Amino acid sequence: MVFKKNEGQNFEKDCLEVFENLLQAYKKAAESTVWESNMDILIEKLTHFPTAPFPVELMSLFDYNYLVQSEDIDSVIDKALIIRERMEHTQRYVTINEKYFSSFLFPANTHLKRLEVYNNEGELCYLQKGTIRIKAKQLFRWIIPSSSPVKFQDIISIRQKTTHYKNLEIYYYSPIVDLSSTNPQDYYNFFCDYFGKVQFLKYFRSKEEVEVVPKLTESVPNAYETILRFSKAQQVLWVYFIFRLLGLKLRVDIGNSTLACFLCMVNGIDMKTYKNSYFYRLIEKAPYIKKDKNLLVDLEVIRLHFEERNFPTAEIEKLIVEIVTR
């Protein structure tokens, strides 16, 4: 399949397919005794993200330009290809030099004499040396045969000594794209895979129902219904920035308990139970209530809500820029 411009209109559908495949794999694994008993480890295996500098840069690009700025996927891919050109000559290689003991006494390529591991800058990170040791007692018994004969191999032992000079960064590279990838379809597949995994993680971490592909700009009849349709995390961000508009700063001018009581009242929950509410636990960390990638999505939801009602959005945008530029 050759990627063509404007085929990105199917992007969310293709991401949903990745999500559903992951969900099916999870369900099958959860029913099997072969997989991990710890489901957190299982989910981490299913959603393993690359750690090499290039795909990390691509994921950051997607988080901001697609999720926050709502750019179309074609535009994000164009920017990804520009990043590739900029980083093309920054590929990292680990160099390993090996030397084995060579003698009729040893099988070939079995006992290391010297192992050197160099990083991309040519710096020696690890050195391993092999040393031949002679067992004196065994040698004596071999020279002067006794009732229990000794083989020559029993006389010799090889010890390995490893010296650590510098930490060696080992990255997990994406199987879909690398710095040699110039086909836009590869980048499209990479972003589908990434966004599908992000939504899968969001689905399992959420304490309530989550849309697989959130419709951030979906309109509803009135503001109150909109707030009730927000997730609990989004409601906490909403009330946090509402009080900021009133000139009240959390934990300086107003306490956590006040905001928790307010949200309990909005949701028809007994305010006396505010300390046991999920709102209270989130407010204690507000506004940093999630990991950066998931927080950016929720911040954009609240920013659009404020924008539609002509509320100032400077405080929200300031936090978005802070997270993206860390």
Side-chain angles (χ1 to χ4, degrees), residues 121-139:
E121 286 76 31
E123 298 170 322
L124 181 63
C125 294
Y126 293 93
L127 173 63
Q128 185 175 330
K129 291 181 180 179
T131 306
I132 297 177
R133 297 291 179 90
I134 303 294
K135 300 175 183 177
K137 285 185 180 180
Q138 298 293 73
L139 177 62

Side-chain angles (χ1 to χ4, degrees), residues 186-199:
D186 294 340
Y187 291 83
Y188 180 87
N189 294 339
F190 174 83
F191 290 130
C192 278
D193 180 74
Y194 173 62
F195 193 37
K197 288 177 178 177
V198 167
Q199 294 301 320

Side-chain angles (χ1 to χ4, degrees), residues 118-179:
Y118 295 87
N119 64 16
N120 188 62
E121 286 76 31
E123 298 170 322
L124 181 63
C125 294
Y126 293 93
L127 173 63
Q128 185 175 330
K129 291 181 180 179
T131 306
I132 297 177
R133 297 291 179 90
I134 303 294
K135 300 175 183 177
K137 285 185 180 180
Q138 298 293 73
L139 177 62
F140 182 77
R141 291 174 61 191
W142 180 69
I143 295 171
I144 304 174
S146 63
S147 57
S148 55
V150 175
K151 295 180 181 179
F152 182 76
Q153 289 83 352
D154 298 331
I155 300 170
I156 296 173
S157 69
I158 298 178
R159 294 187 180 181
Q160 301 290 339
K161 180 183 178 183
T162 301
T163 308
H164 171 214
Y165 294 100
K166 190 179 183 71
N167 284 333
L168 181 68
E169 291 181 284
I170 303 296
Y171 295 123
Y172 168 65
Y173 289 86
S174 165
I176 302 174
V177 291
D178 57 37
L179 287 169

Side-chain angles (χ1 to χ4, degrees), residues 11 15 41 44 46 57 73 97 140 186 190 192 201 270 287 314:
F11 179 70
C15 293
I41 295 175
E44 187 178 340
L46 289 172
E57 187 99 4
I73 194 62
N97 297 330
F140 182 77
D186 294 340
F190 174 83
C192 278
L201 286 172
D270 184 356

Side-chain angles (χ1 to χ4, degrees), residues 44-311:
E44 187 178 340
K45 283 186 175 182
L46 289 172
T47 59
H48 197 44
F49 292 122
T51 59
F54 180 50
V56 166
E57 187 99 4
L58 295 184
M59 291 186 287
S60 297
L61 171 76
F62 183 87
D63 290 339
Y64 185 67
N65 290 72
Y66 186 84
L67 296 180
V68 177
Q69 296 290 85
S70 301
E71 290 186 23
D72 63 73
I73 194 62
D74 296 330
S75 171
V76 175
I77 290 172
D78 287 340
K79 289 178 179 175
L81 287 165
I82 293 171
I83 290 174
R84 188 208 74 85
E85 289 180 10
R86 173 169 57 81
M87 298 183 68
E88 188 174 6
H89 303 294
T90 62
Q91 185 68 278
R92 297 179 62 87
Y93 298 95
V94 173
T95 305
I96 300 176
N97 297 330
E98 296 175 316
K99 189 175 181 181
Y100 292 88
F101 285 106
S102 178
S103 169
F104 69 94
L105 302 173
F106 310 114
N109 300 322
T110 52
H111 297 293
L112 272 170
K113 185 176 184 179
R114 188 178 180 89
L115 170 68
E116 299 169 340
V117 181
Y118 295 87
N119 64 16
N120 188 62
E121 286 76 31
E123 298 170 322
L124 181 63
C125 294
Y126 293 93
L127 173 63
Q128 185 175 330
K129 291 181 180 179
T131 306
I132 297 177
R133 297 291 179 90
I134 303 294
K135 300 175 183 177
K137 285 185 180 180
Q138 298 293 73
L139 177 62
F140 182 77
R141 291 174 61 191
W142 180 69
I143 295 171
I144 304 174
S146 63
S147 57
S148 55
V150 175
K151 295 180 181 179
F152 182 76
Q153 289 83 352
D154 298 331
I155 300 170
I156 296 173
S157 69
I158 298 178
R159 294 187 180 181
Q160 301 290 339
K161 180 183 178 183
T162 301
T163 308
H164 171 214
Y165 294 100
K166 190 179 183 71
N167 284 333
L168 181 68
E169 291 181 284
I170 303 296
Y171 295 123
Y172 168 65
Y173 289 86
S174 165
I176 302 174
V177 291
D178 57 37
L179 287 169
S180 65
S181 304
T182 56
N183 183 356
Q185 182 64 45
D186 294 340
Y187 291 83
Y188 180 87
N189 294 339
F190 174 83
F191 290 130
C192 278
D193 180 74
Y194 173 62
F195 193 37
K197 288 177 178 177
V198 167
Q199 294 301 320
F200 178 76
L201 286 172
K202 186 177 179 183
Y203 174 82
F204 276 96
R205 288 170 181 166
S206 175
K207 297 194 181 289
E208 59 244 27
E209 244 181 75
V210 176
E211 292 179 49
V212 173
V213 180
K215 303 298 181 185
L216 301 180
T217 57
E218 186 177 352
S219 59
V220 291
N222 62 61
Y224 183 64
E225 288 182 19
T226 303
I227 294 161
L228 291 180
R229 289 185 60 177
F230 285 161
S231 70
K232 288 183 173 63
Q234 289 165 357
Q235 286 191 34
V236 167
L237 291 172
W238 169 76
V239 76
Y240 174 86
F241 287 109
I242 283 290
F243 277 86
R244 291 290 286 139
L245 284 182
L246 299 174
L248 300 174
K249 192 171 182 180
L250 182 62
R251 291 179 288 274
V252 175
D253 306 303
I254 191 170
N256 296 348
S257 55
T258 303
L259 262 62
C261 287
F262 180 80
L263 284 174
C264 285
M265 182 179 65
V266 168
N267 286 270
I269 301 170
D270 184 356
M271 287 191 291
K272 293 178 183 178
T273 65
Y274 76 90
K275 279 198 173 179
N276 297 321
S277 70
Y278 188 48
F279 291 127
Y280 188 73
R281 295 201 297 275
L282 288 175
I283 288 169
E284 287 184 317
K285 300 182 288 183
Y288 305 100
I289 58 176
K290 289 185 178 180
K291 290 186 178 179
D292 290 352
K293 293 174 184 177
N294 296 326
L295 181 56
L296 284 171
V297 177
D298 286 344
L299 285 170
E300 179 64 6
V301 172
I302 303 306
R303 189 190 69 80
L304 287 171
H305 174 76
F306 274 41
E307 197 174 71
E308 287 168 4
R309 284 150 186 82
N310 296 316
F311 292 164

